[in-house]
Amino acid sequence: MSFSKKTAWAVGALLLTTLIGFLFWIYFGPKETVAGIFIDYERSLAGLEVKRVWIPGVQISYLEGGAGETLLLIHGSGDDKDSWTPVAKYLTGRYRVIAPDLPGFGESDRLEKGGYKAQDQVKHLQAFTRTLGLTAFHLGGHSLGGKISAAY
């Protein structure tokens, strides 16, 4: 059985594409995605680092970067801390930006007990700010994060 040059090239291209995909998967690991690479790039442009802190009953993941007065940014429902990453690069030159994942969102722990309503999240946010030792800060949010910020 003989193959045409066209078939041989197609099989070769398929094998090469498979090999490149496999090497990409090995290098970046199964948890990383192309989207994750772009998120990391956006974080680096803004000078943001991922940090974690424990508040009563839950571990909170958050982004922090910049210098100056503290600006605490709260994400909306169904979102996470990285919703702020694209705009943070315009803020970190003037502010210390902190953008947490609320409990139950993003990389923060899910709650075993307790609710996810705005008032519940305000209590978690108060524990978060106490744990970080924040006494004076600006607060901003979008969607549910706006409601939480106003209730705070």
Side-chain angles (χ1 to χ4, degrees):
M1 178 181 255
S2 67
F3 293 103
S4 70
K5 284 186 178 182
K6 201 177 216 183
T7 303
W9 276 105
V11 170
L14 179 63
L15 290 173
L16 182 61
T17 303
T18 303
L19 176 63
I20 290 170
F22 180 72
L23 292 174
F24 188 85
W25 182 76
I26 288 174
Y27 183 76
F28 291 109
K31 291 185 180 178
E32 290 294 329
T33 63
V34 174
I37 294 167
F38 286 111
I39 288 170
D40 288 344
Y41 177 69
E42 286 285 330
R43 288 174 181 172
S44 70
L45 286 178
L48 297 172
E49 292 181 43
V50 177
K51 297 183 177 184
R52 289 174 178 74
V53 67
W54 280 96
I55 64 170
V58 66
Q59 185 181 44
I60 301 295
S61 178
Y62 65 100
L63 296 172
E64 182 176 359
E69 296 178 27
T70 301
L71 176 58
L72 185 60
L73 299 173
I74 311 304
H75 65 78
S77 180
D79 223 333
D80 63 21
K81 63 188 174 296
D82 281 300
S83 65
W84 295 106
T85 304
V87 298
K89 64 185 167 194
Y90 302 107
L91 301 171
T92 51
R94 183 171 177 192
Y95 298 99
R96 173 187 177 201
V97 173
I98 299 175
D101 275 334
L102 296 170
F105 295 88
E107 297 174 303
S108 289
D109 290 342
R110 307 298 176 253
L111 299 170
E112 289 184 26
K113 292 184 179 180
Y116 292 95
K117 294 179 182 175
Q119 285 301 328
D120 299 319
Q121 295 290 10
V122 167
K123 291 175 187 171
H124 299 304
L125 191 57
Q126 289 170 335
F128 175 75
T129 58
R130 278 193 305 273
T131 301
L132 292 183
L134 300 177
T135 55
F137 51 91
H138 302 281
L139 190 57
H142 65 81
S143 185
L144 176 63
K147 184 175 183 177
I148 293 166
S149 298
Y152 191 97

